[in-house]
Amino acid sequence: MKKIDTNLLSIPLPDLARSDFSKDFLWGCSTSSYQIEGATDVDGRVESIWDRFSAQPGHISDGSTGKIACDHYHRWPEDLDLGRALGLNAYRFSIAWPRIFSASGGRANQKGLDFYSRLVDGMLERGLEPWATLYHWDLPQSLQDQGGWNQRETVAQFVEFAHVMSHHLGDRVKNWITHNEPWCTAMHGNLDGVHAPGIKNLKIALQVCHHVLLSHGLAIPAIKANVPDAKVGIALSLHPLQAASEQQADVDAMVRHDGLRNRWFLDPLHGRGYPQDVWQLCGSDVPVVGVGDLDVIATPTDFLGVNYYFPEVIANAPAAMPLQTQVIVMPNRERTAFGWEVAPESLATLLQRIAHDYQHAPIYLTENGSTYEDKVEGDGSINDLERRNYFIRHLAVLRDVIAQGVLVKGYFAWSLMDNFEWAEGYRRRFGMVYVDFKTQKRTVKSSGHWYASFLQEQK
Ligand code: FCB
């Protein structure tokens, strides 16, 4: 262990080298369409739920929208150049359904298809293996107007979208993620309402969740029919949990909380149906599940995408319906500027649990990252040593977990560049590349320079 060269944190940093990982390990960054693309009203793109939601006062903490964002729609060659300069060999992006969707029910929007075709070609030219996410939260508003994911019809629409995209890009894109973080789609979008479409209703949230999972299962064969050698998976946001105390009530609360946070997704995807403990607690709010739906949801995948950010501490809270649980913010724990606990060792707990309880196909860390208050120095540099250290510490844990036998085959840092961080707007920067949103100037931060030098060590 060597001490880090900064007084920001007196935390010892582990030694880490790219050669600690296998030669075919994937090293990427993740992004998503609404967070970076901007250009929301060009080339036939239709309105998305995030355009509508962010334009309404009070939803985004700095009053911003994704209308311009990183202007990636126009600046993508420069952005992919940055990815290549960092030394990435993979790049995870998402496809904006509103660029493809035809509100009139006609053919897919050719200009949208052309954009992603150019983007994918750009990745391949730069040695970046494309990892496409089909749904990273930007639902066409016209589908939401008909009920959105609460309506079973949206499932069929999504499967058609999966078919169109895999048909169009499948000669070049072999890695497909159906959904990003269904928990957020369902719960932030429809239970606490902090994300688009801003609904607060448990019954709707659970039905949305079911339809999202069903659409995942139905999209798998649709993609594989077009791309026989495709690898298809889903990216889940998963949280290792701790009980707030050793008291049985808190331990039981943690189990209940886990039921909706983690098992509600992992169980049905692995053929176990919805967790019955939580199902009972949800009473009449449980979703309508059609005959055969659970079999569809359990369609085997080629990998599991895990987005890991932070663990949670859970206490019993009898008044909090339906789970009677509460997330506790423990004092004196290391946190990012978002307040998310920094706990690299919990990544090990999480991955070991998945391997032990679910024995899934290979895992890819499809997101992991942190936000801190970046300061631009007089010389223009951004010395984000905390973010750099965050990556190093998490990667060291990942290396050790792999050595213990958990099959993890790639790591995608969140994110390539600062972007529109949903309800937080532009206040929360997660990038390895700093974006000046007034000028659109990109500057590689210290964390990005570190990633590049780390990746250079062995190709
Ligand atoms: C994840 C999202 C991603 C980004 C990070 C910080 O939950 O998938 O879009 O907002 O959090």
Side-chain angles (χ1 to χ4, degrees), residues 32 44 134 139 157-158 165 225 259 295 300 328 362 389 401-402 415 446:
S32 90
L134 284 165
L139 185 73
Q157 295 273 0
F158 177 78
M165 293 318 304
D295 291 337
I328 301 288
N389 296 349
V401 173
I402 294 170
S415 181
S446 291

Side-chain angles (χ1 to χ4, degrees), residues 185-400:
T185 303
M187 307 304 168
H188 279 334
N190 299 276
L191 182 58
D192 60 39
V194 303
H195 282 182
I199 293 167
K200 295 181 185 171
N201 180 309
L202 178 62
K203 188 164 183 57
I204 292 177
L206 294 178
Q207 193 66 57
V208 163
C209 192
H210 180 65
H211 288 153
V212 165
L213 290 175
L214 184 64
S215 76
H216 155 79
L218 287 168
I220 298 168
I223 297 168
K224 294 206 169 192
N226 288 324
V227 196
D229 54 347
K231 301 252 183 294
V232 187
I234 189 167
L236 301 179
S237 50
L238 297 172
H239 298 264
L241 304 180
Q242 275 175 11
S245 78
E246 287 174 3
Q247 287 177 19
Q248 197 57 44
D250 286 336
V251 174
D252 291 346
M254 181 197 68
V255 173
R256 293 195 299 276
H257 202 86
D258 182 59
L260 197 55
R261 200 65 156 133
N262 299 315
R263 285 183 283 124
W264 199 260
F265 303 87
L266 288 166
D267 280 11
L269 287 168
H270 293 86
R272 300 181 196 170
Y274 289 109
Q276 285 306 302
D277 52 348
V278 174
W279 187 273
Q280 301 299 338
L281 288 169
C282 291
S284 59
D285 289 328
V286 295
V288 175
V289 175
V291 177
D293 285 3
L294 290 172
D295 291 337
V296 171
I297 292 172
T299 302
T301 52
D302 301 292
F303 63 87
L304 176 66
V306 174
N307 293 358
Y308 172 69
Y309 288 94
F310 57 92
E312 285 177 335
V313 179
I314 307 300
N316 186 37
M321 298 307 283
L323 298 181
Q324 303 173 22
T325 65
Q326 190 188 350
V327 178
I328 301 288
V329 179
M330 301 292 268
N332 304 322
R333 296 217 177 161
E334 186 187 343
R335 293 182 188 282
T336 68
F338 221 146
W340 294 356
E341 185 177 337
V342 179
E345 64 291 345
S346 292
L347 173 61
T349 315
L350 175 65
L351 295 175
Q352 276 152 353
R353 179 209 182 167
I354 295 168
H356 180 267
D357 290 0
Y358 296 96
Q359 306 238 339
H360 199 280
I363 294 170
Y364 290 84
L365 252 273
T366 36
E367 286 182 30
N368 175 236
S370 57
T371 180
Y372 292 99
E373 304 288 345
D374 290 334
K375 183 164 163 261
V376 183
E377 305 292 345
D379 65 358
S381 63
I382 297 101
N383 300 318
D384 61 333
L385 299 177
E386 288 162 303
R387 184 177 292 103
R388 180 200 66 178
N389 296 349
Y390 180 99
F391 287 127
I392 295 174
R393 290 160 65 199
H394 283 77
L395 282 170
V397 167
L398 187 60
R399 170 196 58 200
D400 296 346

Side-chain angles (χ1 to χ4, degrees), residues 35 136-137 180-181 184 307 309 340 367 414 421-422 430:
Q35 293 180 276
H136 201 128
W137 309 350
N180 179 70
E181 301 189 349
C184 289
N307 293 358
Y309 288 94
W340 294 356
E367 286 182 30
W414 184 271
E421 178 47 40
W422 308 114
F430 276 87

Side-chain angles (χ1 to χ4, degrees), residues 114-130:
D114 291 346
F115 170 68
Y116 290 107
S117 198
R118 287 194 300 275
L119 191 66
V120 163
D121 286 345
M123 290 174 214
L124 293 171
E125 280 159 17
R126 292 165 178 82
L128 307 172
E129 185 174 293

